[in-house]
Amino acid sequence: MIKGSNVALADLSSDVGSVIVSLGWSSPTGEGDADVSVLLLDASGKVRSDSDFYFYNHPVAADGSVQLLGKTPTADGSEDRISFDLTAVPSGVDRIVVAASRYEGARFGELEDVRITLADAAGESLMRFAVDDAGSVTAVIFGELYRRGEGWKFRAVGQGYETGLAGLAADFGVDIEDDAVADADAEAGLDAAEADAQADATTLVPLEESPQATLEAIPAPRRSDSEVVEPKRSTTRPRTAKKKVILPKTVKKTLAENDSWKTARLFPVSALKSDRDREMRATSVLLSVMAQVPEFSRRLTAGFGAPAGRMETFTEVSMPHGDSPRRPDGVIRVERAGKLWTALVETKTNGNALKAEQVQAYMDIAARRGYEAVITLTNDVALEGSPLVDVKIDKRRKHKVALWHLSWAEVTYQAQMLIRHEGVSNAAHAWLLQELLHYLQHENSGCHGFQNMGSAWVPVRNGLDDETLCQGDARALEVVESWERLIRQVCLRLGGELGQKVLPVQRAKRGTDPNERRNCLADQLCLDGRIQAELRIDGTPGVLAVNADLRTGKLRTSIEIPAPEQGYPLSWAKRLVRRLAEAPADLHVESLVDSETGGPRGTLERLRPEPADLLPKDNGTKITGFRLSLLKSMGSGRGNAETGFIRSVDDAVHRFYTNVVVHLDAPTARRTPSKERAAAG
């Protein structure tokens, strides 16, 4: 689409009751990012209340009409996805504005391939609009969905704002809290938890009812479709500064006599003896929790086009298919306004792979019965542009069935984010999610995520050792694909622990095909025996790099941090060494300089008494930053055992973050100007 053009969604697809809007961009440095936001507007072009403003501090609508799904990695960066259930949008809403904003003085002109795409409920891409003239603006309206008669249309907007998120929101009638005033209140002695509760109606507070409870949020309970609720103007105002999360209070002391007493579990795993038992139990456990915890089920299904509504889940359902019936592991049904959305679920645990013939049968059944999706759930991680199984789609059929994939690592991540960092609606839901997490993380559940580098791992390592591995070898490509799956899983695990976005960085040229990029990485592996990856962690000063040298058997984790804009190099070096007082003594520190000769380097143990050793001998050489690195031996096995490669990478990233990165200066907090300054700008 071009700027200013519009199109009716019904002309693009017959399945647009729910749509997925994706906002994407890429960054040459791998560190550029932005935050998405959504505003629901009435006929006057203003929000009906502040609750019609959805952003990182208010990501989900209580009626399920809007849900910010977060970021997903792509070939050349990442995409921020938003799920819209258009059938649930209140009748008083005339327009839906989709925007994004940058922070810390960053501009959209520093990003590349700024775009918005829209897909229907089956996941089929319907349109794309590139914002080519973002320039120096700090916020952009990408597009808007608006009503026309009984249907919806989309308009490509591409309008920029110099005043960031606060200015954009205020323009549409949102009453933004002045962050500076709120902080002044806190400094005047207002209790932090009370201040957050007053400043943000969705702030999380600790639960008192259960020692195992985690967090409780304030989102309103779902109401029936027949109820009409007028939005109320809240006495509190949304804050565009990042919301604080109050962690749960210390768990009460156990009443057990000794450590041998085991807590009774809702989902026991000790009796599981076979893979079939594990698959059946895991499917039933997950689907039952999804049916009872709407916040969790929406996290998992909104991205698949499922509407917000009453959900029921089933297991081991028999369905006719030729001479012999088929029994999918599970069925998910969601009812919304008298309509049903149905997905068949096929589950695998441990290292069991999906069978193409089985998935194909479920796709055919779903198409014949008018179901919307087939969801596969395994320990494997799907890659962009590389499906786990190939299925044939009969294009003569009018009804489209979407094939989606979930990893058990993604399920665990979503449960962790809710109960440990964001909160759920009540204590019972928090307890159910904790029981689910306990089950998924138990050694006998079989739901441990990606745990095998594949059959090509050993031959490739042997080929590198004896120098017989040649460019173009298909086995090298298999190792690269396994490495990419592993890195995505490492991001999920670290993100679930931290409660922050952790995404792999892809420094690909604009428009590069994912398979072409992987082929280039495979050729590089054959040449120098190395595979690399970069992780962007929200709130850290740089990109965390992971380098595995398969020839030497060494793993290097590192981060580059820029030099301060003010001060003297000796002060920078002393301050860095002081901040790393608790870091490992074998941490390597290197000065990055503006010359080709390279800067001084040394271990932290040697630099602690003499930080000046980081300064170049030539006074004319300028320090541009510092590189911090840790080396460790990597596992040789292809699996996830103690001596396996997968475990060693996971441990190396976790150790580097917890022992090094946490001690570094985080970027300046995301703050926006007060309303007065925003208006003046």
Side-chain angles (χ1 to χ4, degrees):
M1 297 184 68
I2 61 173
K3 187 173 182 177
S5 61
N6 62 79
V7 63
L9 300 188
D11 293 342
L12 302 177
S13 172
S14 59
D15 195 8
V16 289
S18 60
V19 295
I20 300 293
V21 172
S22 300
L23 276 61
W25 41 77
S26 58
S27 169
T29 64
E31 299 179 37
D33 201 5
D35 288 316
V36 302
S37 53
V38 173
L39 298 107
L40 306 186
L41 311 180
D42 59 18
S44 68
K46 301 291 184 180
V47 295
R48 301 169 303 157
S49 72
D50 293 341
S51 62
D52 280 342
F53 175 38
Y54 298 95
F55 63 119
Y56 42 74
N57 280 350
H58 182 211
V60 181
D63 59 11
S65 58
V66 181
Q67 180 169 345
L68 275 58
L69 300 175
K71 299 184 185 297
T72 185
T74 63
D76 55 357
S78 65
E79 284 187 343
D80 237 311
R81 300 185 304 152
I82 312 164
S83 169
F84 292 104
D85 183 354
L86 298 179
T87 65
V89 176
S91 57
V93 174
D94 187 66
R95 252 192 318 150
I96 302 174
V97 171
V98 181
S101 55
R102 303 205 68 194
Y103 37 89
E104 300 172 23
R107 308 287 175 172
F108 271 93
E110 300 162 3
L111 301 177
E112 298 177 351
D113 195 19
V114 180
R115 65 198 181 276
I116 180 173
T117 58
L118 186 145
D120 63 13
E124 183 172 329
S125 181
L126 303 180
M127 50 72 53
R128 185 182 191 276
F129 167 53
V131 182
D132 295 325
D133 53 352
S136 62
V137 299
T138 57
V140 172
I141 296 178
F142 282 66
E144 60 182 20
L145 294 159
Y146 61 99
R147 294 186 191 269
R148 274 298 178 267
E150 297 298 318
W152 288 86
K153 300 184 75 174
F154 176 83
R155 178 183 291 114
V157 178
Q159 177 184 345
Y161 279 76
E162 291 283 357
T163 49
L165 179 60
L168 183 151
D171 216 29
F172 290 105
V174 181
D175 195 10
I176 295 295
E177 173 70 83
D178 186 339
D179 297 329
V181 172
D183 289 343
D185 289 342
E187 292 175 2
L190 189 62
D191 177 77
E194 182 181 348
D196 275 355
Q198 293 175 357
D200 189 340
T202 60
T203 297
L204 312 180
V205 296
L207 289 172
E208 300 288 349
E209 294 85 351
S210 168
Q212 297 164 320
T214 315
L215 298 173
E216 183 175 24
I218 306 180
R222 177 172 176 76
R223 300 178 183 272
S224 66
D225 297 334
S226 61
E227 291 186 71
V228 178
V229 180
E230 293 296 328
K232 296 181 180 179
R233 174 65 66 174
S234 174
T235 57
T236 60
R237 296 171 291 173
R239 291 187 64 186
T240 54
K242 283 292 185 179
K243 179 177 58 181
K244 298 176 182 177
V245 176
I246 303 171
L247 296 178
K249 294 183 177 180
T250 305
V251 177
K252 295 179 181 178
K253 184 179 180 181
T254 180
L255 300 180
E257 288 186 3
N258 54 61
D259 293 341
S260 67
W261 286 25
K262 302 299 181 183
T263 303
R265 311 304 322 192
L266 181 63
F267 310 119
V269 289
S270 57
L272 299 176
K273 302 299 182 183
S274 67
D275 285 343
R276 184 57 182 160
D277 289 341
R278 293 183 180 90
E279 289 177 8
M280 294 175 63
R281 178 70 64 85
T283 306
S284 184
V285 167
L286 174 62
L287 295 186
S288 63
V289 173
M290 288 174 62
Q292 296 301 318
V293 186
E295 304 95 322
F296 179 60
S297 60
R298 284 295 294 164
R299 283 294 192 94
L300 296 180
T301 61
F304 300 159
R310 183 173 68 91
M311 174 182 287
E312 287 190 15
T313 54
F314 310 86
T315 59
E316 297 298 311
V317 177
S318 180
M319 293 186 171
H321 182 69
D323 297 332
S324 58
R326 295 280 181 164
R327 297 173 66 90
D329 292 317
V331 177
I332 300 172
R333 305 205 86 175
V334 182
E335 182 186 38
R336 171 77 192 182
K339 297 181 180 180
L340 284 174
W341 181 91
T342 306
L344 304 181
V345 180
E346 173 60 16
T347 303
K348 297 294 182 185
T349 56
N350 281 340
N352 296 321
L354 291 167
K355 299 177 181 178
E357 179 269 340
Q358 195 173 31
V359 177
Q360 181 71 66
Y362 294 148
M363 292 288 288
D364 294 340
I365 292 172
R368 289 198 306 269
R369 301 178 74 90
Y371 295 165
E372 283 70 25
V374 172
I375 301 173
T376 57
L377 180 57
T378 73
N379 279 319
D380 212 343
V381 179
L383 301 180
E384 183 188 13
S386 180
L388 291 178
V389 290
D390 291 322
V391 296
K392 297 179 180 178
I393 306 297
D394 189 347
K395 297 186 180 296
R396 295 172 298 178
R397 284 180 172 150
K398 183 177 180 180
H399 181 74
K400 294 183 294 184
V401 178
L403 177 61
W404 304 100
H405 179 72
L406 264 179
S407 165
W408 284 113
E410 171 75 12
V411 175
T412 300
Y413 166 78
Q414 296 293 2
Q416 287 177 315
M417 290 298 292
L418 276 172
I419 66 173
R420 294 182 181 175
H421 307 291
E422 296 176 12
V424 292
S425 59
N426 59 49
H429 289 177
W431 179 70
L432 280 173
L433 286 175
Q434 285 199 36
E435 288 296 299
L436 173 64
L437 264 182
H438 179 271
Y439 179 88
L440 295 177
Q441 295 173 339
H442 194 280
E443 60 183 11
N444 199 30
S445 70
C447 306
H448 304 131
F450 178 73
Q451 49 190 336
N452 195 317
M453 290 297 290
S455 58
W457 177 250
V458 173
V460 165
R461 293 198 64 177
N462 291 338
L464 289 170
D465 289 340
D466 56 26
E467 299 183 357
T468 59
L469 188 67
C470 302
Q471 285 184 313
D473 193 316
R475 295 173 299 181
L477 180 60
E478 289 183 40
V479 169
V480 166
E481 290 177 341
S482 296
W483 170 250
E484 187 174 336
R485 291 186 170 96
L486 171 58
I487 291 301
R488 292 198 179 194
Q489 178 165 285
V490 168
C491 289
L492 288 172
R493 287 183 174 173
L494 187 59
E497 291 179 14
L498 303 179
Q500 301 185 61
K501 291 174 293 189
V502 181
L503 287 170
V505 177
Q506 309 288 3
R507 298 180 188 266
K509 294 182 180 179
R510 181 173 176 177
T512 301
D513 179 80
N515 292 321
E516 180 182 339
R517 175 175 54 80
R518 294 181 190 118
N519 282 321
C520 291
L521 294 176
D523 289 342
Q524 180 184 346
L525 171 61
C526 295
L527 286 174
D528 59 21
R530 297 177 182 178
I531 43 180
Q532 301 94 19
E534 293 178 317
L535 282 60
R536 185 175 66 245
I537 305 172
D538 195 22
T540 58
V543 172
L544 194 159
V546 187
N547 185 307
D549 191 326
L550 273 60
R551 286 193 172 121
T552 63
K554 294 291 184 181
L555 275 172
R556 178 187 293 271
T557 45
S558 62
I559 189 170
E560 293 184 7
I561 56 176
E565 296 181 358
Q566 297 179 344
Y568 298 97
L570 181 57
S571 299
W572 303 343
K574 289 181 177 180
R575 188 168 188 271
L576 178 62
V577 171
R578 282 200 307 270
R579 293 196 67 85
L580 295 172
E582 303 298 323
D586 60 344
L587 177 70
H588 287 250
V589 184
E590 177 185 357
S591 295
L592 304 177
V593 297
D594 58 355
S595 66
E596 297 181 358
T597 57
R601 68 189 69 184
T603 63
L604 191 58
E605 182 178 32
R606 184 174 67 82
L607 292 170
R608 277 172 176 154
E610 294 293 340
D613 287 349
L614 281 172
L615 304 184
K617 303 302 181 184
D618 183 358
N619 293 332
T621 302
K622 180 181 178 182
I623 295 179
T624 60
F626 300 94
R627 181 186 293 118
L628 313 178
S629 308
L630 275 180
L631 286 170
K632 75 180 294 287
S633 297
M634 69 185 193
S636 57
R638 66 184 184 185
N640 195 34
E642 290 289 341
T643 58
F645 176 72
I646 293 175
R647 179 76 60 87
S648 65
V649 173
D650 220 347
D651 291 346
V653 171
H654 185 270
R655 176 180 179 238
F656 188 74
Y657 181 87
T658 55
N659 292 315
V660 179
V661 178
V662 293
H663 301 301
L664 303 177
D665 288 323
T668 306
R670 302 185 186 184
R671 304 185 63 85
T672 56
S674 65
K675 291 184 296 178
E676 290 78 9
R677 283 180 289 160

